[in-house]
Amino acid sequence: QVQLVESGGGLVQAGDSLRLSCAASGRTFSPYSMGWFRQAPGKERDLVAAISGGGTITYYVDSVEGRFTISRDNAKSTVYLQMNNLKADDTAVYYCAAARTWKAARVEGLYDYWGQGTQVTVSS
């Protein structure tokens, strides 16, 4: 019922910035909490950042705290991930996902909808 499409990935150098976007379509966007995940080759997919439906509560994994910012524009049905001071370890496929509640948004297995992913490659 909700379709998510990521964009904004690419190849950058360490220290550069990127802004990922996730556009939602289908059912009403605003009630969903949203998360950004990433998966590097040979590694498990991990939650990077999450934001509540109203945008008032956010979560960041320790490794990106202070560098990444998650935000949303419910009028545009879009969630963003601003990534600053990128490091080689940030290289991964980045996915956005939607969860029904904030509690569910802290657990990967409880997300209901997923985008196709966008590649971020950081050279060092």
Side-chain angles (χ1 to χ4, degrees):
Q1 291 185 331
V2 176
Q3 294 78 46
L4 305 173
V5 180
E6 303 96 333
S7 62
L11 173 63
V12 298
Q13 296 182 356
D16 287 351
S17 298
L18 281 175
R19 189 183 74 163
L20 305 183
S21 298
C22 176
S25 62
R27 296 294 191 186
T28 303
F29 173 70
S30 58
Y32 289 92
S33 294
M34 300 293 297
W36 284 98
F37 293 78
R38 67 186 182 187
Q39 186 171 29
K43 298 184 178 180
E44 201 70 26
R45 184 168 61 190
D46 294 321
L47 177 65
V48 177
I51 188 167
S52 63
T56 59
I57 310 172
T58 58
Y59 162 83
Y60 300 95
V61 69
D62 288 346
S63 59
V64 309
E65 181 74 45
R67 298 189 297 120
F68 291 10
T69 302
I70 188 170
S71 62
R72 66 191 298 159
D73 186 339
N74 287 342
K76 297 180 179 179
S77 297
T78 302
V79 63
Y80 306 95
L81 186 67
Q82 178 67 46
M83 305 185 295
N84 297 328
N85 191 25
L86 283 161
K87 304 176 180 180
D89 287 347
D90 297 319
T91 295
V93 177
Y94 283 72
Y95 301 87
C96 68
R100 295 179 183 179
T101 68
W102 178 243
K103 183 178 180 180
R106 299 296 303 276
V107 181
E108 179 179 355
L110 297 182
Y111 279 79
D112 294 296
Y113 305 101
W114 293 81
Q116 83 290 342
T118 185
Q119 177 71 48
V120 172
T121 302
V122 184
S123 63
S124 61

